[in-house]
Amino acid sequence: MFFGVTTDVNKRQFVSCARKIVNSLKSKGTDIVVEESLAKKLGLKGKSIKDMDVDMLICVGDDGVILKTLLELRDKQIPLLGVRTPGNLGFLAETSTTNFDSYIDNILEGNWKVEERSRIEAEIDGEKTSPALNEIAIFAKRSATLIHYTLKINEEFMWRDSADGVIVSTPSGSTAYALSAGGPIVTYDAPVLVVVPVNSLNQARRPLVVSDDREIIIDEIESPVTCEIILDGRIRENIEEKTVKIRKSKYGALFVKLSEGVFTPLKEKLYMKVRQWEEKESLPPSAKLVLKVLEYEGPMTQKEIAEKTLLPRRTVRNALKILLQKELIVKRTTLRDARLSIYHIKGFDEE
């Protein structure tokens, strides 16, 4: 098999894990191509994501790496294998760096299948965006500024609203941004899309679930400032036109899955996601900040957390104690100094 490997080169831990995966694949005699920015870090020759012609693309790190890779692939469909690194929940990932060798052995033996998940694309003034896996959102560029818009489904008027923004989500995205905005959880195989108003002035406004063969039209967009369309939280484009048409893309996202009982069941991942979200809501502000920093930065020592958050060491200690009690993070001894402990987000495969 011919494998591609990519990661977020701005995160040292991801690069280190990607290096190990590349070495593991080489030791198994497989053909490999590495994404060009990662290749520079590893001293190898590489290719851009869009120029890769591989059987499987391995995304090392967190969900952000997978989302970014899919946006770069645009209409190109390559099966992705998400490999989460220590301290990253990796909701879209199929395996972890710890279990990678056994997973790749299963793949090389042919014990794998492809699961397709729907993506959505937007059309603005006749131009299509890259397909998004999770959601397409429309907001004002300046925070705390309302937008006014009309929602139509297949040209049928649904409502006129004033809100902070509006999200159109896929089933995969229903457990991401849309969930925190009050949207419902939808199973991945449901043939639907979800429209979620964000902080609508109309208290009766609720999320709307529609068939995914419908076209969702966000029309008559107005705001005191420029509005922007946001794809999976990563690509932002100004909206000069007043109309955005959103529909299911013909090009779904392909994910590598192993046999039943090998990967984390859907219900377990959904439970973990909802539980984490509920636990976050009850946290004090300091613990929320520490958790968010660990989500973005990966494993850190107590000193590093204090420096990053600018919180007093005593406050950081208390926040870590709360997060450990709620089993949202894991404490481990660092390899570089046995006297130090590192903290990271608890993953699916960690007790």
Side-chain angles (χ1 to χ4, degrees):
M1 289 187 69
F2 193 9
F3 293 94
V5 181
T6 185
T7 191
D8 181 350
V9 296
N10 295 314
K11 296 186 177 181
R12 187 183 306 173
Q13 182 206 30
F14 290 7
V15 174
S16 175
C17 290
R19 186 191 302 274
K20 293 177 182 177
I21 283 175
V22 168
N23 290 337
S24 175
L25 291 170
K26 284 182 177 179
S27 70
K28 297 178 187 296
T30 62
D31 295 320
I32 311 167
V33 61
V34 178
E35 187 273 328
E36 53 190 357
S37 59
L38 174 60
K40 290 179 182 178
K41 295 280 187 179
L42 304 183
L44 303 171
K45 291 183 178 180
K47 282 187 176 182
S48 65
I49 293 291
K50 64 180 181 180
D51 291 331
M52 285 189 182
D53 186 14
V54 295
D55 298 313
M56 188 179 298
L57 186 50
I58 299 173
C59 301
V60 184
D62 55 15
D63 286 351
V65 177
I66 295 175
L67 294 174
K68 179 176 179 291
T69 300
L70 285 169
L71 288 169
E72 290 182 12
L73 284 172
R74 293 187 67 90
D75 297 345
K76 196 170 184 178
Q77 291 180 294
I78 298 176
L80 302 185
L81 175 63
V83 181
R84 59 182 173 273
T85 54
N88 290 288
L89 196 56
F91 197 63
L92 295 171
E94 173 66 7
T95 185
S96 65
T97 51
T98 305
N99 301 324
F100 178 75
D101 281 341
S102 61
Y103 268 71
I104 209 67
D105 287 341
N106 270 282
I107 288 171
L108 292 174
E109 291 170 5
N111 300 325
W112 62 286
K113 59 184 180 181
V114 173
E115 175 186 273
E116 183 170 357
R117 296 194 189 183
S118 60
R119 292 195 285 172
I120 51 177
E121 62 189 16
E123 181 183 324
I124 307 171
D125 195 24
E127 295 291 326
K128 291 182 180 179
T129 65
S130 293
L133 176 67
N134 277 352
E135 75 278 317
I136 293 176
I138 297 174
F139 283 86
K141 289 195 70 172
R142 189 175 67 198
S143 62
T145 303
L146 288 175
I147 70 167
H148 312 280
Y149 70 94
T150 297
L151 175 67
K152 299 177 182 177
I153 306 296
N154 279 4
E155 297 293 349
E156 180 182 351
F157 175 84
M158 300 303 294
W159 65 58
R160 177 72 180 169
D161 197 21
S162 298
D164 283 350
V166 60
I167 300 169
V168 179
S169 166
T170 64
S172 294
S174 71
T175 56
Y177 191 7
L179 179 64
S180 62
I185 293 177
V186 180
T187 57
Y188 300 145
D189 56 351
V192 299
L193 300 176
V194 183
V195 182
V196 184
V198 181
N199 295 332
S200 171
L201 292 184
N202 184 341
Q203 295 298 310
R205 189 76 67 221
R206 291 292 181 266
L208 178 67
V209 180
V210 301
S211 173
D212 65 7
D213 61 356
R214 306 292 179 88
E215 183 176 66
I216 297 170
I217 303 172
I218 312 298
D219 202 6
E220 300 173 328
I221 301 170
E222 298 175 348
S223 179
V225 299
T226 302
C227 292
E228 61 182 358
I229 186 169
I230 308 168
L231 310 179
D232 281 343
R234 275 145 186 84
I235 294 180
R236 295 172 178 263
E237 298 179 7
N238 290 348
I239 301 175
E240 304 298 339
E241 299 296 317
K242 291 184 177 292
T243 302
V244 176
K245 297 179 179 180
I246 300 172
R247 63 181 73 91
K248 180 181 177 181
S249 172
K250 295 186 296 183
Y251 306 97
L254 306 182
F255 287 94
V256 174
K257 297 292 178 183
L258 300 186
S259 59
E260 294 291 338
V262 177
F263 59 89
T264 307
L266 169 62
K267 64 180 181 181
E268 184 178 335
K269 287 192 174 185
L270 285 175
Y271 170 77
M272 177 75 81
K273 185 77 173 183
V274 174
R275 177 183 170 276
Q276 186 189 51
W277 181 76
E278 290 175 341
E279 292 284 5
K280 283 181 183 179
E281 290 300 298
S282 64
L283 293 174
S286 59
K288 286 182 180 179
L289 177 58
V290 170
L291 187 63
K292 182 59 68 176
V293 167
L294 289 174
E295 286 178 352
Y296 277 96
E297 301 295 331
M300 301 177 76
T301 64
Q302 187 179 123
K303 180 181 178 182
E304 290 169 337
I305 294 170
E307 291 173 349
K308 192 70 177 180
T309 60
L310 301 180
L311 293 173
R313 293 287 288 273
R314 181 178 178 181
T315 303
V316 171
R317 283 197 300 272
N318 185 55
L320 290 171
K321 181 180 178 181
I322 293 171
L323 294 173
L324 286 167
Q325 288 174 342
K326 290 184 175 291
E327 298 183 347
L328 292 173
I329 64 172
V330 174
K331 177 182 178 181
R332 299 198 186 284
T333 302
T334 176
L335 294 177
R336 65 176 183 265
D337 188 340
R339 297 169 298 177
L340 293 176
S341 295
I342 57 172
Y343 301 85
H344 64 76
I345 303 295
K346 185 175 181 179
F348 291 118
D349 50 2
E350 292 179 288
E351 297 295 333

